[in-house]
Amino acid sequence: MADLLSVAKLAGVSRATAARAFSNPELVRALTREKVLKAAEQLSFRPNKVAQQLRSQSTQMIGVMVPSLDNPVFAEQLQAMEVTARASGYSLIVTTSEYDASQESEIVEEMLRQRVDGLVLTVADADNSAVLNKLLYEHPPCLLVYNPPGQSGFPSIGVDNLAAGADATHHLIEQGHTRISMVAGPLLQSDRARQRYAGYCQAMAAHDLIPRPLVEMPRHTQANLACLTPELEGEYHPSAVICTNDLLAISLIGELQRAGFAVPNDLSVMGFDGIALGRHLYPSLCTIEQPRAAIGQAAIHTLLSMINGEMPNPAPLPHVLRSGESVGAPAITPSLSITP
Amino acid sequence: MADLLSVAKLAGVSRATAARAFSNPELVRALTREKVLKAAEQLSFRPNKVAQQLRSQSTQMIGVMVPSLDNPVFAEQLQAMEVTARASGYSLIVTTSEYDASQESEIVEEMLRQRVDGLVLTVADADNSAVLNKLLYEHPPCLLVYNPPGQSGFPSIGVDNLAAGADATHHLIEQGHTRISMVAGPLLQSDRARQRYAGYCQAMAAHDLIPRPLVEMPRHTQANLACLTPELEGEYHPSAVICTNDLLAISLIGELQRAGFAVPNDLSVMGFDGIALGRHLYPSLCTIEQPRAAIGQAAIHTLLSMINGEMPNPAPLPHVLRSGESVGAPAITPSLSITP
DNA sequence: TTGTACGCGTTATCAC
DNA sequence: GTGATAACGCGTACAA
């Protein structure tokens, strides 16, 4: 591929002049500039970013690591980040960690070797993360997304998961539910799920209701009805459940319906995240909507400010309760009908 | 960040020796190597990929462009590509085009400036694409995904959309359907949808059934029932519809149910793509499953072979019909009940 | 086995 | 306005 020197030769100028014709066009005489540009065109010259990066010590690249792209939450957030970053002249190197700590480390190491200008990470557990501990010793601009801003020492973009979990619970209580359970994927892997559960417990307690132990599913994004059956058929038999993410909720609704349960009549189901699809299902999914596009945008803007040497302390972004047909009033039970 | 020279100084060797300790460890005496590695450790030296790239004229980076990450099809494929690429030592620069031709051009240009070793693209319309035409004049390794291998001049990874469209139609015909319509997003934007429609037409004709004009929805991934109502209430009133992608099908099912239609009793609905979620809905989605993971893997492997100078001509990957509860036998109509 | 020296393509600092 | 030249960090042919 043609380089600047060949362009300069063809244009009959020095390499410095050719370079200036691109980077500081006003410093070069119009006629000369024309010659250079024409020569570049003829040779189909394309500036070499790698050389620019080496020279300028800045890659204009951002390293992104998400747990998985199979979950629309991350995919939709990534979409927003990509658009925002490109609008600011940055490119994204994208990786997936599968919530695996050793992969997290390798990925970040590789990105640092690539000399990304900054990192946007979603780690499994921010308060207990080998990668983050390592990163604390270096000082690359680094930002967390979705991970609650705990002791990690890094700024974080996302909603207030505790408040959101509480809001979801309040919503169900307002609808008249008193027996509410919570369903999650493999617990230990996600700090968000823990916070949402804490919010649930808090809201239950605030209404003098006793929170139930978390019901854990073996997979993050696929419900297993058998895990919930003991709870449903037990003495507690909840009238509503909250899932820690939408995919879990949607697949749970499917499993319930297939097993002959009516949603929401037999059981109300809430999701969490607010993926786009939820609106279009029947019943539509009642959920806590995270502003994914705003999160993606804020992540890039915040990171860019960090790259510029600032030390932002971003506030949590507002979540919104999206009502939906998957939640209704609880069926009248004998005990309730006795006490009007 | 420490560079090789400072490592070499600390180790008391020349820069060349330090470099060799990393790139060709066997060329350096064990003791010397130890010294270098220890010095590198002390200085927390991290090899500079940018310099390596400039020097080696190879970035080990692949440029990926997909229309959107809001559609799980692309997100799930990207997930597979990322894992496969990283396993081969490659990184992914990921971009989204929104099916916008001018963005497609800018994105590819930027990636070429970045000197990616190859490109994996999914364009709006491969047979009529400004980007692809431009790329024909250059010779970067470039591979299409999902786009049918037409006159574009580039190898393509994906299923045989025509055969798949026909298979979907056959499946419905086997179930006893004779009045089948097809629903798509904005037609002109997607060459895949056109091929699938062609397959539908072919299969209909093969059974002496008259194909219907395509029903177009205003959005790719969100059904608008109003667009289908004329068809449903018209003289043809299909007993089954095929959607050109799963999100369209899923949201259509939701809209139908909300409007009081039973699926599949009043109308059978087939999807296309086979996103993971479809299995877990109720009714589960009957669909043509594209092997997304295999497509992602094959894309990377094929591109790497192209980077190595080969000129592969990848065969279409096999699609699979995934049966599901969203398709059933057609309701008995008067005309049918008369002719046993 | 190790050191010297050059080049990858660019930008920036000097002179002219 | 323009041209020569030195970095940026690394790999490697060649010499020692």
Side-chain angles (χ1 to χ4, degrees):
Chain A
M1 183 148 305
D3 67 348
L4 213 38
L5 183 56
S6 33
V7 171
K9 280 182 184 166
L10 180 57
V13 299
S14 76
R15 184 176 47 203
T17 302
R20 273 190 285 260
F22 289 99
S23 56
N24 294 69
E26 69 278 6
L27 291 187
V28 63
R29 203 184 353 163
L31 182 62
T32 320
R33 195 191 318 151
E34 293 296 328
K35 281 192 300 186
V36 173
L37 294 182
K38 189 184 300 177
E41 173 102 2
Q42 280 185 35
L43 299 175
S44 58
F45 164 74
R46 205 188 318 268
N48 187 325
K49 280 251 172 189
V50 176
Q52 291 178 337
Q53 289 163 354
L54 180 60
R55 174 61 221 219
S56 68
Q57 300 290 74
S58 146
T59 54
Q60 305 276 96
M61 301 211 293
I62 295 171
V64 176
M65 182 181 77
V66 294
S68 164
L69 290 168
D70 289 346
N71 187 332
V73 176
F74 299 122
E76 293 176 9
Q77 165 218 347
L78 179 57
Q79 164 91 21
M81 293 204 298
E82 198 280 321
V83 172
T84 309
R86 189 147 44 85
S88 304
Y90 280 76
S91 297
L92 259 38
I93 294 183
V94 175
T95 57
T96 59
S97 71
E98 300 291 347
Y99 290 103
D100 177 337
S102 77
Q103 286 199 56
E104 288 181 351
S105 287
E106 282 181 26
I107 285 171
V108 167
E109 175 65 25
E110 178 64 20
M111 287 174 161
L112 292 176
R113 293 185 175 190
Q114 184 58 55
R115 297 300 192 268
V116 295
D117 288 348
L119 292 166
V120 176
L121 310 178
T122 297
V123 299
D125 185 345
D127 287 342
N128 185 12
S129 163
V131 215
L132 295 187
N133 287 335
K134 184 179 76 174
L135 283 175
L136 279 178
Y137 286 94
E138 340 241 345
H139 24 292
C142 175
L143 177 70
L144 300 178
V145 172
Y146 292 127
N147 293 111
Q151 298 86 332
S152 69
F154 294 97
S156 176
I157 299 282
V159 305
D160 180 337
N161 285 288
L162 194 139
D167 285 356
T169 312
H170 277 129
H171 177 67
L172 291 172
I173 295 173
E174 276 173 12
Q175 306 294 309
H177 294 275
T178 55
R179 302 186 316 285
I180 304 169
S181 296
M182 191 153 188
V183 175
L187 176 61
L188 298 175
Q189 289 186 5
S190 167
D191 48 15
R192 283 85 73 200
R194 282 205 301 276
Q195 289 229 338
R196 292 167 191 177
Y197 179 64
Y200 154 82
C201 292
Q202 193 170 298
M204 291 292 275
H207 289 263
D208 290 325
L209 300 171
I210 300 174
R212 297 286 295 171
L214 198 58
V215 176
E216 289 186 44
M217 299 273 176
R219 297 195 47 183
H220 263 84
T221 54
Q222 179 179 332
N224 182 336
L225 188 52
C227 300
L228 185 58
T229 320
E231 183 81 354
L232 291 177
E233 297 179 345
E235 44 181 326
Y236 188 72
H237 60 96
S239 62
V241 300
I242 304 174
C243 299
T244 51
N245 70 64
D246 277 357
L247 288 182
L248 212 47
I250 292 171
S251 55
L252 178 60
I253 292 175
E255 295 294 316
L256 284 167
Q257 291 176 324
R258 186 169 292 106
F261 290 87
V263 175
N265 285 357
D266 293 331
L267 186 69
S268 288
V269 178
M270 271 199 76
F272 207 111
D273 285 342
I275 63 176
L277 183 61
R279 290 182 188 280
H280 307 292
L281 299 173
Y282 182 77
S284 61
L285 185 64
C286 176
T287 187
I288 297 285
E289 187 158 343
Q290 304 201 62
R292 299 174 301 286
I295 287 175
Q297 280 188 29
I300 296 300
H301 287 144
T302 305
L303 184 66
L304 293 186
S305 81
M306 294 173 72
I307 291 174
N308 287 329
E310 298 173 33
M311 181 57 192
N313 187 10
L317 270 57
H319 56 271
V320 174
L321 192 140
R322 185 208 289 168
S323 54
E325 298 154 341
S326 66
V327 165
I332 305 299
T333 66
S335 60
L336 279 177
S337 59
I338 294 174
T339 63
Chain B
M1 184 148 303
D3 67 348
L4 215 37
L5 183 56
S6 34
V7 171
K9 281 182 184 167
L10 180 57
V13 299
S14 76
R15 186 177 46 210
T17 302
R20 275 189 283 258
F22 288 99
S23 55
N24 294 69
E26 69 278 6
L27 291 186
V28 62
R29 199 184 356 161
L31 183 61
T32 319
R33 195 191 318 151
E34 293 296 327
K35 281 193 298 185
V36 172
L37 294 182
K38 190 185 301 176
E41 172 102 1
Q42 280 184 37
L43 298 175
S44 59
F45 165 74
R46 207 188 316 266
N48 187 324
K49 279 250 172 190
V50 176
Q52 291 178 337
Q53 289 162 354
L54 181 60
R55 171 62 223 235
S56 68
Q57 299 291 74
S58 146
T59 55
Q60 306 275 97
M61 300 212 294
I62 294 171
V64 176
M65 182 180 77
V66 294
S68 163
L69 290 168
D70 289 346
N71 188 331
V73 177
F74 300 121
E76 293 177 9
Q77 166 218 349
L78 179 57
Q79 165 90 22
M81 293 204 298
E82 198 279 321
V83 172
T84 310
R86 187 147 46 85
S88 305
Y90 280 76
S91 298
L92 259 40
I93 295 183
V94 175
T95 56
T96 59
S97 70
E98 300 292 345
Y99 290 103
D100 176 337
S102 76
Q103 286 200 56
E104 287 181 350
S105 288
E106 283 182 23
I107 285 171
V108 167
E109 175 65 24
E110 177 65 19
M111 286 174 162
L112 292 177
R113 293 185 173 190
Q114 184 60 54
R115 298 299 192 267
V116 294
D117 288 347
L119 293 166
V120 176
L121 310 178
T122 297
V123 300
D125 186 345
D127 287 341
N128 183 14
S129 164
V131 215
L132 295 188
N133 287 337
K134 184 179 77 173
L135 284 175
L136 278 179
Y137 286 95
E138 339 240 346
H139 25 291
C142 176
L143 177 70
L144 300 178
V145 172
Y146 291 129
N147 294 110
Q151 297 84 337
S152 68
F154 294 96
S156 177
I157 299 282
V159 305
D160 181 338
N161 284 287
L162 194 139
D167 285 355
T169 312
H170 278 128
H171 177 66
L172 291 173
I173 294 172
E174 277 173 12
Q175 306 295 309
H177 293 275
T178 55
R179 303 187 314 286
I180 304 169
S181 296
M182 191 153 186
V183 176
L187 176 59
L188 298 177
Q189 289 185 7
S190 168
D191 48 14
R192 281 86 71 201
R194 282 206 302 277
Q195 288 229 340
R196 293 168 191 176
Y197 180 64
Y200 154 82
C201 292
Q202 194 169 296
M204 291 292 276
H207 290 263
D208 291 325
L209 299 172
I210 300 174
R212 297 286 295 168
L214 198 58
V215 176
E216 289 186 42
M217 300 273 175
R219 298 196 45 184
H220 263 81
T221 54
Q222 180 179 333
N224 182 337
L225 188 52
C227 300
L228 186 59
T229 320
E231 182 82 355
L232 291 178
E233 296 179 346
E235 44 180 325
Y236 188 74
H237 61 97
S239 62
V241 299
I242 303 173
C243 299
T244 51
N245 70 63
D246 277 355
L247 288 183
L248 212 47
I250 292 171
S251 55
L252 177 61
I253 292 174
E255 296 293 316
L256 284 166
Q257 292 176 324
R258 188 169 290 106
F261 290 88
V263 175
N265 285 356
D266 294 332
L267 187 68
S268 287
V269 178
M270 270 198 78
F272 208 112
D273 284 342
I275 63 175
L277 183 62
R279 290 181 188 279
H280 306 291
L281 299 173
Y282 184 78
S284 60
L285 185 65
C286 176
T287 187
I288 296 287
E289 186 158 344
Q290 304 202 61
R292 299 175 302 286
I295 288 176
Q297 280 188 28
I300 296 299
H301 287 144
T302 306
L303 184 66
L304 293 186
S305 82
M306 295 173 72
I307 290 174
N308 287 331
E310 299 172 34
M311 181 57 191
N313 187 12
L317 270 57
H319 57 271
V320 174
L321 191 140
R322 185 208 290 167
S323 55
E325 299 153 342
S326 66
V327 164
I332 305 299
T333 66
S335 60
L336 279 178
S337 59
I338 292 173
T339 63

